[in-house]
Amino acid sequence: MPALLCFDDERPAAQRLLTALQAAEAPGQDPTGGEPWQLAVVERHRFPDGEWRLRLPATLPTVVAFYRSLHQPNEKLVELLLAAPAARELGAQRLWLVAPYLAYMRQDMAFSPGEVVSQRHIGRWLAAAFDGLITVDPHLHRVAALADAVPLADAQALSAAPVLGAWVVQRRPGALLLGPDEESAQWVQQAAAATGLQAAVCRKVRHGDREVQVALPPLDVRGRAVVILDDMASTGRTVAQAAAALRSAGAASVDVAVTHALFVGDALVALQAAGVGEVWSTDSVPHASNAVPLAPLLAPALQRSVRSFQISGNSTTSSILRK
Ligand code: R5P
């Protein structure tokens, strides 16, 4: 019976994934061999000095997946550093990480001598701890594939852009989809392809954590409904600058759709001040703006991975038997 492990603060999202997994377990088509997934919460105790004591189920099945979205990642990475090898000691033979938001992907090169390329090191560490990774819209800019950042044979990068696009087209039919920087082109193009909406991309120059300049593309936006679409909003300054420019250029409305609603500090205040109307996000990061659940994407991806492990496991067994 495969186990889905989560932590108490993400139990609702893990429960949605469990429900989606169970819904797909049609008789005779269950890729996990007919056994339903079980959800268990990893117990945490915080010692007075800040260290964790974790407790997993005392015995685990062969197939185990952790659900852990890696926003506010530093503590969570330590949890996984402890929990992943412990899961193997308790019986897991195949270990997946379902991390709808994958942290540290933006630090993908040394911008000055000596700067740590965090993407590479976090990626290598995750690849050593897990057999498979499923994530959504990882910020891959200078690398082509997720496996280049997290060197696993089973590294799946799903995209929420089509489902976010479908949400947008319901709420703002005929809207212009606008990516706030060049890196957002990949997501805006996917959302446009899925919906037929027009799409364009801005140019951005970043001067600091909260200092960005955004230049609109050469398009007439007067009177148009525009939806800014990006993989994430953190301080919200990128989106706010694009929104302010759109309002100055005469856009009728500016709304925002992002996969990962990090929205740190006064991000939402900045968006409001820039003239943003609605803000929509997926549930990769729990936030008031969550509108689009990811479980319908994550469940089939996890089932595909488990299925392929079982097929390759069976063929390994067969080849051993043939020897
Ligand atoms: C980077 O290119 C990302 O796609 C986002 O545009 C960026 O991380 C947003 O950051 P912030 O909200 O802090 O401007």
Side-chain angles (χ1 to χ4, degrees):
M1 186 173 295
L4 180 63
L5 301 183
C6 70
F7 293 78
D8 52 322
D9 56 324
E10 288 184 318
R11 189 177 184 142
Q15 181 65 52
R16 288 193 288 277
L17 175 56
L18 180 75
T19 303
L21 286 165
Q22 287 170 342
E25 285 162 1
Q29 295 177 6
D30 179 4
T32 60
E35 295 177 305
W37 285 80
Q38 296 287 305
L39 181 65
V41 178
V42 177
E43 288 176 22
R44 292 185 292 183
H45 170 74
R46 169 88 74 181
F47 288 107
D49 60 7
E51 292 180 1
W52 284 123
R53 180 185 67 208
L54 304 181
R55 201 159 83 88
L56 278 63
T59 56
L60 284 170
T62 308
V63 168
V64 173
F66 279 94
Y67 182 95
R68 201 60 173 139
S69 202
L70 291 172
H71 52 288
Q72 300 292 328
N74 296 349
E75 291 229 330
K76 293 176 182 173
L77 289 169
V78 173
E79 289 167 359
L80 294 177
L81 174 73
L82 300 168
R88 294 192 196 276
E89 288 168 356
L90 294 168
Q93 289 176 26
R94 197 72 174 180
L95 207 52
W96 278 270
L97 175 63
V98 180
Y101 176 66
L102 188 58
Y104 283 108
M105 291 297 107
R106 284 174 293 174
Q107 294 178 41
D108 59 356
M109 65 173 280
F111 293 91
S112 59
E115 199 172 297
V116 174
V117 183
S118 305
Q119 183 193 74
R120 183 187 307 151
H121 301 294
I122 294 290
R124 284 180 189 162
W125 177 78
L126 288 174
F130 294 92
D131 302 304
L133 168 69
I134 296 167
T135 189
V136 182
D137 293 336
H139 192 87
L140 303 178
H141 177 40
R142 275 165 277 260
V143 299
L146 179 59
D148 296 335
V150 185
L152 279 167
D154 184 8
Q156 293 191 61
L158 312 176
S159 181
V163 285
L164 275 175
W167 177 269
V168 167
V169 91
Q170 280 177 28
R171 296 297 184 283
R172 298 286 181 270
L176 167 67
L177 290 175
L178 190 74
D181 54 25
E182 293 89 337
E183 292 154 62
S184 63
Q186 53 187 304
W187 299 293
V188 169
Q189 282 161 6
Q190 287 181 63
T195 58
L197 292 175
Q198 188 189 1
V201 168
C202 302
R203 279 178 292 110
K204 176 171 87 176
V205 180
R206 185 176 283 284
H207 300 288
D209 288 343
R210 289 178 164 74
E211 295 79 37
V212 295
Q213 278 179 306
V214 174
L216 294 180
L219 269 179
D220 185 1
V221 296
R222 282 175 297 175
R224 291 203 67 177
V226 183
V227 176
I228 300 171
L229 188 136
D230 205 357
D231 61 333
M232 71 180 80
S234 176
T235 68
R237 268 36 182 200
T238 297
V239 166
Q241 286 294 315
L246 285 163
R247 284 299 203 181
S248 301
S253 66
V254 180
D255 303 292
V256 170
V258 291
T259 303
H260 308 299
L262 300 179
F263 291 123
V264 300
D266 63 352
L268 288 180
V269 176
L271 262 58
Q272 211 173 12
V276 169
E278 302 271 340
V279 180
W280 304 302
S281 62
T282 77
D283 60 355
S284 73
V285 178
H287 189 263
S289 61
N290 290 172
V292 177
L294 289 176
L297 294 183
L298 298 171
L302 182 54
Q303 285 170 321
R304 267 196 306 276
S305 282
V306 171
R307 180 71 172 157
S308 123
F309 159 63
Q310 288 174 332
I311 290 168
S312 65
N314 288 342
S315 60
T316 307
T317 310
S318 312
S319 65
I320 291 166
L321 290 174
R322 277 199 298 273
K323 280 183 187 171

